[in-house]
Amino acid sequence: MLACSDTDRMQGGTILPDDVELKAGDVVFRRGSGFTSQAVLLAEKGGAYSHTGIVVDSAGVLMIVHAVPGEPDCEGDEDRVKMERPEVFFHPMRAQQGAVYRHVDSCAAQQAAIRALQAYRRHPLFDHDYDDTDTTSLYCTELVVNAYSQTTSPLKDVRHQHLHLVGFEADCILPSDVLGCKDLKQVTTF
């Protein structure tokens, strides 16, 4: 993590319950309260979550890799794929609600976690165009779906939504589209 990261200075808990045991490959969701979260929730038309990431094993420590706008590690830093401790991902300043989902194939989950960690290590920027045909930059659900697409059991039935908002139009994958995947089973919501 960068020395200038404000995530190291975050104090005051997490909404992630103490008894939740994360595993590499778990897909995690959160509902944020910021402007971007509200825009995603508006696009979701009643969806429960505005952001997603994937749990990885980084040298024996479970972390969450996710692509997020508006949470720079340093002032002036560009939006990019990040890796953070679960308590930072689910910090109350960033998350009002959360969920953990697990792939039914534990081998595919392990493979997806490795792919997500490899994506993080490339340091791609956040994909503000929401173009999942180009993986040189990534948005949150694109990261998760792409990581699983490189496994023996890709996520099936993941839909794309056509969004038409003021000043923005794109076909993209929303958190509810990932939630609708039959390969993922709910571990917990909180």
Side-chain angles (χ1 to χ4, degrees):
M1 194 168 296
L2 297 173
C4 54
S5 174
D6 67 352
T7 57
D8 286 335
R9 294 187 295 273
M10 281 191 164
Q11 302 293 319
T14 179
I15 67 166
L16 181 66
D18 290 338
D19 62 345
V20 174
E21 291 187 39
L22 298 173
K23 293 185 178 182
D26 283 353
V27 180
V28 293
F29 296 85
R30 73 180 185 200
R31 179 186 189 111
S33 58
F35 173 77
T36 303
S37 295
Q38 295 309 308
V40 171
L41 291 170
L42 178 66
E44 284 275 18
K45 298 179 181 149
Y49 304 104
S50 57
H51 187 55
T52 187
I54 187 166
V55 177
V56 302
D57 182 333
S58 177
V61 177
L62 292 177
M63 304 286 279
I64 296 174
V65 170
H66 62 117
V68 62
E71 293 181 13
D73 286 326
C74 302
E75 187 175 329
D77 191 19
E78 295 184 83
D79 295 332
R80 64 182 65 252
V81 172
K82 302 175 69 157
M83 183 168 67
E84 298 178 316
R85 298 182 317 270
E87 57 271 16
V88 173
F89 182 87
F90 287 115
H91 191 277
M93 288 175 34
R94 295 182 174 167
Q96 297 175 331
Q97 294 176 300
V100 177
Y101 280 69
R102 189 162 291 150
H103 198 283
V104 295
D105 181 337
S106 61
C107 290
Q110 289 287 328
Q111 294 167 359
I114 291 167
R115 296 300 186 189
L117 189 56
Q118 290 170 340
Y120 164 75
R121 289 182 176 147
R122 287 193 327 265
H123 302 293
L125 296 178
F126 182 84
D127 184 359
H128 289 281
D129 294 326
Y130 296 86
D131 177 7
D132 53 288
T133 64
D134 174 11
T135 58
T136 59
S137 59
L138 299 164
Y139 62 95
C140 68
T141 51
E142 178 186 14
L143 169 68
V144 171
V145 172
N146 183 269
Y148 270 99
S149 75
Q150 300 174 62
T151 73
T152 55
S153 186
L155 298 178
K156 295 181 216 65
D157 306 320
V158 177
R159 301 175 300 138
H160 282 73
Q161 302 287 327
H162 181 75
L163 299 183
H164 183 78
L165 305 171
V166 176
F168 176 79
E169 190 168 350
D171 289 319
C172 62
I173 304 165
L174 295 171
S176 61
D177 299 324
V178 176
L179 273 174
C181 176
K182 294 177 179 79
D183 299 315
L184 298 175
K185 300 299 179 195
Q186 180 181 305
V187 174
T188 188
T189 61
F190 45 93

mmCIF file of all heavy atoms in Angstrom, residues 5 13 39 47 54 63 65 67 82 86 99 102 114 126 129 181 183:
data_model
loop_
_atom_site.group_PDB
_atom_site.id
_atom_site.type_symbol
_atom_site.label_atom_id
_atom_site.label_comp_id
_atom_site.label_asym_id
_atom_site.label_seq_id
_atom_site.Cartn_x
_atom_site.Cartn_y
_atom_site.Cartn_z
ATOM 1 N N SER A 5 -1.386 6.609 1.775
ATOM 2 C CA SER A 5 -2.749 6.105 1.829
ATOM 3 C C SER A 5 -3.476 6.563 3.083
ATOM 4 O O SER A 5 -3.007 6.383 4.195
ATOM 5 C CB SER A 5 -2.737 4.578 1.787
ATOM 6 O OG SER A 5 -4.030 4.081 1.964
ATOM 7 N N GLY A 13 -13.702 0.867 13.271
ATOM 8 C CA GLY A 13 -14.498 -0.297 12.981
ATOM 9 C C GLY A 13 -14.808 -0.602 11.539
ATOM 10 O O GLY A 13 -14.255 -0.041 10.606
ATOM 11 N N ALA A 39 -25.477 7.186 -7.789
ATOM 12 C CA ALA A 39 -25.693 7.076 -9.237
ATOM 13 C C ALA A 39 -25.868 5.613 -9.641
ATOM 14 O O ALA A 39 -26.744 5.284 -10.453
ATOM 15 C CB ALA A 39 -24.532 7.716 -9.990
ATOM 16 N N GLY A 47 -31.649 -1.870 -6.798
ATOM 17 C CA GLY A 47 -30.624 -2.835 -6.411
ATOM 18 C C GLY A 47 -30.123 -2.542 -5.000
ATOM 19 O O GLY A 47 -30.194 -1.419 -4.515
ATOM 20 N N ILE A 54 -13.420 -8.601 -5.022
ATOM 21 C CA ILE A 54 -13.141 -10.034 -4.901
ATOM 22 C C ILE A 54 -12.053 -10.244 -3.850
ATOM 23 O O ILE A 54 -11.083 -9.493 -3.787
ATOM 24 C CB ILE A 54 -12.761 -10.639 -6.270
ATOM 25 C CG1 ILE A 54 -12.641 -12.156 -6.199
ATOM 26 C CG2 ILE A 54 -11.532 -9.992 -6.845
ATOM 27 C CD1 ILE A 54 -12.600 -12.816 -7.568
ATOM 28 N N MET A 63 -7.331 -10.118 1.485
ATOM 29 C CA MET A 63 -7.523 -8.725 1.092
ATOM 30 C C MET A 63 -8.648 -8.687 0.064
ATOM 31 O O MET A 63 -9.057 -9.726 -0.454
ATOM 32 C CB MET A 63 -6.239 -8.166 0.478
ATOM 33 C CG MET A 63 -4.994 -8.267 1.345
ATOM 34 S SD MET A 63 -4.984 -7.100 2.701
ATOM 35 C CE MET A 63 -4.433 -5.621 1.845
ATOM 36 N N VAL A 65 -9.649 -6.995 -3.592
ATOM 37 C CA VAL A 65 -9.245 -6.263 -4.785
ATOM 38 C C VAL A 65 -10.522 -5.708 -5.409
ATOM 39 O O VAL A 65 -11.508 -6.440 -5.586
ATOM 40 C CB VAL A 65 -8.488 -7.176 -5.775
ATOM 41 C CG1 VAL A 65 -8.277 -6.476 -7.110
ATOM 42 C CG2 VAL A 65 -7.152 -7.605 -5.184
ATOM 43 N N ALA A 67 -12.085 -2.232 -8.092
ATOM 44 C CA ALA A 67 -11.866 -1.051 -8.927
ATOM 45 C C ALA A 67 -12.903 -0.011 -8.515
ATOM 46 O O ALA A 67 -14.104 -0.268 -8.593
ATOM 47 C CB ALA A 67 -12.025 -1.410 -10.398
ATOM 48 N N LYS A 82 -7.602 -1.273 -6.668
ATOM 49 C CA LYS A 82 -6.972 -1.195 -5.349
ATOM 50 C C LYS A 82 -7.019 -2.555 -4.663
ATOM 51 O O LYS A 82 -7.817 -3.408 -5.021
ATOM 52 C CB LYS A 82 -7.741 -0.201 -4.466
ATOM 53 C CG LYS A 82 -7.826 1.192 -5.020
ATOM 54 C CD LYS A 82 -8.695 2.060 -4.149
ATOM 55 C CE LYS A 82 -7.990 2.294 -2.845
ATOM 56 N NZ LYS A 82 -8.421 3.483 -2.144
ATOM 57 N N PRO A 86 -10.232 -6.092 4.388
ATOM 58 C CA PRO A 86 -11.698 -6.132 4.429
ATOM 59 C C PRO A 86 -12.304 -5.054 5.330
ATOM 60 O O PRO A 86 -13.333 -4.467 4.998
ATOM 61 C CB PRO A 86 -11.997 -7.537 4.958
ATOM 62 C CG PRO A 86 -10.823 -8.346 4.510
ATOM 63 C CD PRO A 86 -9.642 -7.418 4.622
ATOM 64 N N ALA A 99 -22.478 -7.659 1.740
ATOM 65 C CA ALA A 99 -22.828 -9.064 1.493
ATOM 66 C C ALA A 99 -21.582 -9.798 1.025
ATOM 67 O O ALA A 99 -20.674 -9.203 0.448
ATOM 68 C CB ALA A 99 -23.923 -9.178 0.439
ATOM 69 N N ARG A 102 -20.250 -16.657 -2.474
ATOM 70 C CA ARG A 102 -19.184 -17.629 -2.749
ATOM 71 C C ARG A 102 -19.537 -18.456 -3.984
ATOM 72 O O ARG A 102 -20.669 -18.910 -4.132
ATOM 73 C CB ARG A 102 -19.012 -18.530 -1.528
ATOM 74 C CG ARG A 102 -17.822 -19.441 -1.573
ATOM 75 C CD ARG A 102 -17.493 -19.956 -0.176
ATOM 76 N NE ARG A 102 -16.979 -18.863 0.649
ATOM 77 C CZ ARG A 102 -17.135 -18.786 1.966
ATOM 78 N NH1 ARG A 102 -17.772 -19.747 2.624
ATOM 79 N NH2 ARG A 102 -16.634 -17.766 2.637
ATOM 80 N N ILE A 114 -6.622 -15.516 -7.911
ATOM 81 C CA ILE A 114 -5.273 -15.339 -8.484
ATOM 82 C C ILE A 114 -5.321 -14.353 -9.639
ATOM 83 O O ILE A 114 -4.470 -13.457 -9.745
ATOM 84 C CB ILE A 114 -4.692 -16.706 -8.917
ATOM 85 C CG1 ILE A 114 -4.377 -17.554 -7.686
ATOM 86 C CG2 ILE A 114 -3.455 -16.522 -9.795
ATOM 87 C CD1 ILE A 114 -4.106 -19.024 -7.979
ATOM 88 N N PHE A 126 -9.107 2.916 -13.273
ATOM 89 C CA PHE A 126 -10.546 2.678 -13.250
ATOM 90 C C PHE A 126 -11.107 3.013 -14.628
ATOM 91 O O PHE A 126 -10.732 4.003 -15.251
ATOM 92 C CB PHE A 126 -11.225 3.549 -12.185
ATOM 93 C CG PHE A 126 -12.696 3.293 -12.090
ATOM 94 C CD1 PHE A 126 -13.176 2.254 -11.323
ATOM 95 C CD2 PHE A 126 -13.598 4.086 -12.787
ATOM 96 C CE1 PHE A 126 -14.543 1.994 -11.248
ATOM 97 C CE2 PHE A 126 -14.960 3.843 -12.726
ATOM 98 C CZ PHE A 126 -15.434 2.793 -11.946
ATOM 99 N N ASP A 129 -15.218 4.700 -18.732
ATOM 100 C CA ASP A 129 -16.072 4.499 -19.908
ATOM 101 C C ASP A 129 -16.948 3.258 -19.763
ATOM 102 O O ASP A 129 -17.821 3.014 -20.588
ATOM 103 C CB ASP A 129 -15.219 4.373 -21.176
ATOM 104 C CG ASP A 129 -14.498 5.658 -21.510
ATOM 105 O OD1 ASP A 129 -15.057 6.752 -21.255
ATOM 106 O OD2 ASP A 129 -13.369 5.574 -22.012
ATOM 107 N N CYS A 181 -26.170 -14.128 -10.792
ATOM 108 C CA CYS A 181 -25.460 -15.292 -11.312
ATOM 109 C C CYS A 181 -25.739 -16.510 -10.429
ATOM 110 O O CYS A 181 -25.539 -16.468 -9.215
ATOM 111 C CB CYS A 181 -23.961 -14.991 -11.362
ATOM 112 S SG CYS A 181 -22.989 -16.392 -11.876
ATOM 113 N N ASP A 183 -24.091 -19.156 -10.201
ATOM 114 C CA ASP A 183 -22.879 -19.801 -9.691
ATOM 115 C C ASP A 183 -22.454 -19.263 -8.328
ATOM 116 O O ASP A 183 -21.591 -19.844 -7.677
ATOM 117 C CB ASP A 183 -21.717 -19.584 -10.669
ATOM 118 C CG ASP A 183 -21.997 -20.182 -12.033
ATOM 119 O OD1 ASP A 183 -22.480 -21.330 -12.086
ATOM 120 O OD2 ASP A 183 -21.743 -19.507 -13.039
#
